[in-house]
Amino acid sequence: MPDNRNSGGRGGGAGGKRNATAIISIILWALVITVLVNYATSMARSAHTQEITYGEFRQMVMDGKVEAVEMTSAKYTIYPKTEPAEESAAPAESPSPESQLGLPPLETLNTTQKTYYCAPPTTANVRDDGLIPLLEEYGVVQYGSPYEEPLSPIVSLLISYVLPMVLMVVLFSFLFRNMAGKMGGGLGGVGKANAKVYVEKSTGVTFKDVAGQDEAKESLVEIIDFLHNPQKYTEIGAKLPKGALLVGPPGTGKTLLAKAVAGEANVPFFSISGSDFVEMFVGVGASRVRDLFKEASKMAPCIVFIDEIDTIGKSRDNRMGGNDEREQTLNQLLAEMDGFDPTKGVILLAATNRPEVLDQALLRPGRFDRRIIVDRPNLAGRLATLQVHTRNIRLAEDVDLKKIAIATAGTVGADLANLVNEAALRAVRLGRKAVNQEDLLVSFELVIAGSEKKGSVLTEFEKKLVAYHEVGHAMVAYKQKNTEPVQKITIVPHTQGSLGYTLLMPEEDKTELRTRDELLAKIAVSMGGRAAEEVVLGTMTNGAAQDIQDATSVARNMVAMFGMSDEFGMMALASRRNQYLDGGYGMDCAQDTAAAMDRAVKEILDRCYKQAVATLEESREDMDKVVAYLLEKETITGAEMVAILEGRDPALADRYPDPEQKREKHTPTVSAAPDPIPLGGEISPEGKRTE
């Protein structure tokens, strides 16, 4: 049976002090609530009583409006009659006390509605020996009070305050214990680790479920082998690394790999997020770290996995202000990693997509000895990942996963899983029993540009403008050598802000290595949309905003980090800050140098834009033919565009053109231009969009 338990144990002396503080807090809160309850009760009682003077009380007696009087040494409580009083023998012409006080007539009151009270004359050192005869004269025979044995002040205090406070303490303790059971143990979860313990059957993940990360799996196989056969390593004197850090972009499968290691090793798996250690109270995170390693040592051999360790492992740089709680947690983690013995079989795994912010003390040998890169998969990795995610999917005979793997360059495992799921949902939506190739391609485009806006209507001018914009991208890419073939051109609006897009699909898997000419070509292809607007329509639109951003980003990287500028040469002007996230970088140069860098970037952009304009001007007639067909169909394939340019019937065109045949017929049109910019290279699968 799976063993799902929360880790136990206390956080040491500090945890005991915190628990004592919590108990005192509960008692104080109970006392406050008790006082408030007594006060509220007193206020509720006072709402049905009213104070009068002793003289007004005598007048009420003489008016025959008193039913009974409860007399104590400190207070007379007067209960008025519920029925109108009969005429008494004594004159009653004087105004009644209630009329003087603005009170409602006493005849309308009863003992449940309103009572009165007054201070006895003895409190003012005055005697009224005639009160009892007066009461008997006017028919008030119920006076005095029944005898009660007086309670001692101590007993009265216990009943009024101590007993309710004890009940409150018991109630609060019960509630806090219930909360502690749900939050990971301890009084309110303080001093306890929130790590959940799993065994192999609970994770349900093995290396068979992980694809596209062969290098990472090879590094982790040693850890699994050590947990199974530790003597093989101890005999030769080898020591297993205490910790392994999984680094890579989001969605590449870092957490999945950690679960797979636990599943393969058949050992307990402690899983906790870095944010679970951080609390507003200083010392709580450190206590939870101690508790986590204490429990792990009890269940050794086991694997401890800390996800998003950058939450607590940030560099201890106090230049911008520090965080005492986070730093104490980090210090405790460092101490625990130094203190535990790896021969016992406690393996620490951690994952992050921000390794650049981690403290250097955390990364040194002896702590996280091994850094395992879990990067974006290559072509073989994407194909294997697609095969894993389609194991339980019914596929049609026309499905070619390799073509999908080629088209999805730059994606991660999570993207591919989502693509397969969207394809299955589309097949069900269309009433099919199996997923075909079209479902996968449409799902890929859905991830890129979103779903089609069926209710969006473009004017004829807008459709023409978008068509020339998108064909401009396609023509600049097609007319050059060594470029990726055009897969699809559409002018159908999509939900992700695009009025159309041009999709270029690589023919084979390529690394991230790019030449200067390829990068310049990528910029020129990005400029193709704006160039078409100027060449054909003589105008500009905001639809090229994303294209300009993409082109500027490539040009700036060429100058700042790639050393491809004639002015600066091999000088690094910037450094990458978030390698696995947004890819942003920070400037490492003076302001004057940054201004000169901007001028160099602008020069590159201007040259590439002129190159794109020249290409489209020479291909104006061909571009008009493609645009006319696109306006008719709204969506065309790259093969149909090639057929139009070659004078063939586009209706008979193959879906995937022969790239070699295309290159034999088309050579660069700008090769003779001064300082040529070959427009080969790659454009990202995201394509070019018109907003």
Side-chain angles (χ1 to χ4, degrees):
M1 293 293 289
D3 186 13
N4 297 330
R5 298 177 293 179
N6 291 330
S7 61
R10 299 198 178 268
K17 294 180 180 179
R18 284 189 292 273
N19 289 343
T21 303
I23 293 175
I24 295 174
S25 301
I26 291 176
I27 295 175
L28 293 176
W29 274 108
L31 180 60
V32 170
I33 293 175
T34 301
V35 172
L36 292 177
V37 170
N38 287 338
Y39 178 76
T41 303
S42 175
M43 293 297 294
R45 291 175 179 174
S46 64
H48 298 280
T49 61
Q50 177 153 351
E51 183 180 8
I52 60 177
T53 64
Y54 183 74
E56 292 169 341
F57 162 56
R58 288 182 60 89
Q59 185 63 48
M60 290 176 63
V61 175
M62 290 185 290
D63 290 341
K65 298 176 180 179
V66 178
E67 179 73 26
V69 181
E70 184 178 322
M71 308 171 67
T72 64
S73 61
K75 181 173 75 172
Y76 289 173
T77 303
I78 304 106
Y79 298 96
K81 290 182 177 180
T82 58
E83 299 292 336
E86 297 179 359
E87 292 187 4
S88 60
E93 300 298 330
S94 60
S96 63
E98 65 271 16
S99 61
Q100 298 178 0
L101 299 172
L103 301 175
L106 289 174
E107 289 84 1
T108 63
L109 301 176
N110 56 41
T111 56
T112 61
Q113 293 178 337
K114 195 78 169 181
T115 59
Y116 301 87
Y117 68 93
C118 67
T122 55
T123 58
N125 295 322
V126 177
R127 293 185 62 180
D128 186 2
D129 296 331
L131 177 60
I132 301 301
L134 181 65
L135 294 175
E136 293 178 349
E137 179 182 355
Y138 286 93
V140 183
V141 296
Q142 301 180 19
Y143 56 86
S145 59
Y147 176 78
E148 296 181 358
E149 187 71 28
L151 296 175
S152 75
I154 297 177
V155 175
S156 179
L157 178 65
L158 291 175
I159 294 176
S160 300
Y161 292 96
V162 177
L163 182 60
M165 186 176 66
V166 170
L167 295 176
M168 290 291 181
V169 169
V170 173
L171 177 61
F172 272 79
S173 299
F174 177 76
L175 294 176
F176 270 70
R177 290 183 181 276
N178 277 348
M179 294 174 59
K182 298 177 180 179
M183 298 175 60
L187 190 58
V190 177
K192 291 294 189 176
N194 295 325
K196 295 182 179 180
V197 183
Y198 300 96
V199 295
E200 181 266 340
K201 292 183 179 178
S202 296
T203 61
V205 181
T206 63
F207 279 161
K208 295 181 180 179
D209 302 308
V210 182
Q213 302 294 341
D214 295 337
E215 295 82 2
K217 288 195 291 186
E218 290 177 2
S219 300
L220 295 172
V221 165
E222 291 184 3
I223 297 177
I224 300 172
D225 188 45
F226 178 86
L227 294 174
H228 287 164
N229 307 298
Q231 69 281 354
K232 185 169 64 175
Y233 296 88
T234 56
E235 288 176 356
I236 200 173
K239 295 182 178 179
L240 192 71
K242 289 186 177 181
L245 184 64
L246 304 176
V247 178
T252 52
K254 298 183 293 294
T255 304
L256 187 67
L257 269 173
K259 292 183 178 181
V261 172
E264 291 286 343
N266 193 22
V267 296
F269 179 63
F270 285 75
S271 177
I272 190 169
S273 176
S275 59
D276 292 335
F277 291 109
V278 181
E279 296 286 350
M280 65 179 293
F281 304 105
V282 177
V284 175
S287 176
R288 289 179 174 174
V289 171
R290 288 192 298 269
D291 180 63
L292 175 63
F293 279 89
K294 180 180 179 181
E295 290 299 310
S297 61
K298 292 180 181 178
M299 303 188 65
C302 64
I303 292 176
V304 178
F305 176 65
I306 303 177
D307 198 8
E308 305 298 341
I309 195 173
D310 53 273
T311 305
I312 60 173
K314 289 183 179 179
S315 177
R316 293 165 292 183
D317 187 359
N318 293 322
R319 290 178 296 178
M320 302 298 293
N323 187 316
D324 291 338
E325 165 62 6
R326 180 176 57 78
E327 291 184 2
Q328 287 193 20
T329 305
L330 174 59
N331 292 334
Q332 187 63 45
L333 178 62
L334 298 176
E336 293 292 340
M337 294 184 69
D338 287 337
F340 79 89
D341 186 3
T343 59
K344 295 181 179 180
V346 179
I347 305 299
L348 180 62
L349 300 179
T352 182
N353 43 43
R354 301 178 65 193
E356 65 276 354
V357 304
L358 295 179
D359 196 281
Q360 293 300 314
L362 193 64
L363 301 176
R364 74 161 177 81
R367 288 171 179 153
F368 282 110
D369 306 87
R370 182 172 297 182
R371 178 181 294 193
I372 300 174
I373 305 300
V374 188
D375 212 341
R376 301 179 186 273
N378 55 16
L379 175 60
R382 294 194 300 274
L383 179 58
T385 303
L386 287 171
Q387 291 172 346
V388 169
H389 291 303
T390 56
R391 285 185 304 190
N392 301 322
I393 302 294
R394 185 178 298 175
L395 301 177
E397 295 182 356
D398 65 335
V399 171
D400 189 348
L401 294 180
K402 186 175 181 180
K403 289 182 178 179
I404 304 298
I406 293 175
T408 53
T411 58
V412 297
D415 297 329
L416 298 176
N418 185 41
L419 186 151
V420 172
N421 187 64
E422 289 290 344
L425 294 176
R426 184 178 187 271
V428 174
R429 188 165 56 249
L430 297 179
R432 291 196 297 271
K433 300 295 185 181
V435 176
N436 58 25
Q437 186 77 357
E438 184 182 2
D439 293 329
L440 294 171
L441 291 174
V442 172
S443 299
F444 172 59
E445 297 169 14
L446 179 65
V447 175
I448 296 174
S451 59
E452 296 183 359
K453 289 184 178 179
K454 301 190 181 293
S456 181
V457 179
L458 300 179
T459 64
E460 292 299 323
F461 176 76
E462 289 175 336
K463 291 178 64 176
K464 184 178 180 181
L465 185 63
V466 174
Y468 272 106
H469 182 104
E470 301 303 335
V471 174
H473 289 304
M475 290 297 295
V476 172
Y478 174 79
K479 289 293 185 177
Q480 309 307 314
K481 201 173 183 179
N482 300 319
T483 58
E484 298 169 354
V486 178
Q487 170 64 23
K488 183 178 181 179
I489 308 173
T490 181
I491 57 174
V492 178
H494 287 71
T495 56
Q496 292 188 5
S498 62
L499 298 179
Y501 67 89
T502 301
L503 177 63
L504 279 70
M505 181 180 293
E507 297 165 345
E508 58 185 9
D509 191 49
K510 299 182 66 174
T511 65
E512 294 296 325
L513 184 64
R514 296 291 184 271
T515 65
R516 182 177 183 269
D517 292 338
E518 288 177 328
L519 294 174
L520 291 172
K522 187 172 184 177
I523 298 175
V525 174
S526 298
M527 296 293 188
R530 171 60 63 85
E533 295 174 1
E534 181 180 350
V535 170
V536 179
L537 302 173
T539 186
M540 299 180 184
T541 69
N542 60 350
Q546 186 61 49
D547 301 328
I548 296 173
Q549 290 183 13
D550 295 340
T552 304
S553 178
V554 175
R556 193 172 295 276
N557 286 336
M558 292 175 62
V559 176
M561 293 191 295
F562 300 162
M564 297 180 179
S565 170
D566 295 334
E567 181 176 355
F568 297 102
M570 297 178 61
M571 179 180 179
L573 305 177
S575 58
R576 195 170 300 278
R577 297 289 189 260
N578 298 316
Q579 181 180 359
Y580 299 110
L581 294 178
D582 57 0
Y585 59 87
M587 302 302 298
D588 298 329
C589 60
Q591 292 184 355
D592 295 341
T593 305
M597 186 187 73
D598 290 339
R599 290 191 294 269
V601 171
K602 186 177 184 303
E603 181 182 356
I604 294 176
L605 295 175
D606 291 342
R607 290 167 56 197
C608 292
Y609 181 71
K610 292 179 181 178
Q611 201 72 32
V613 171
T615 301
L616 295 180
E617 288 177 345
E618 295 181 4
S619 308
R620 171 64 188 276
E621 186 177 345
D622 291 337
M623 183 168 56
D624 291 338
K625 295 178 182 178
V626 177
V627 169
Y629 188 75
L630 178 61
L631 290 173
E632 180 184 354
K633 299 293 186 179
E634 291 190 342
T635 299
I636 65 174
T637 65
E640 290 175 324
M641 184 189 74
V642 173
I644 294 173
L645 298 177
E646 296 178 350
R648 297 183 285 110
D649 186 2
L652 304 177
D654 297 330
R655 186 172 182 80
Y656 298 97
D658 186 358
E660 298 299 329
Q661 186 181 13
K662 172 194 137 180
R663 298 307 172 198
E664 291 175 0
K665 294 186 178 183
H666 296 277
T667 58
T669 59
V670 293
S671 59
D675 193 15
I677 303 176
L679 297 183
E682 179 184 26
I683 187 171
S684 63
E686 286 79 9
K688 298 301 170 184
R689 305 182 180 91
T690 301
E691 297 180 353

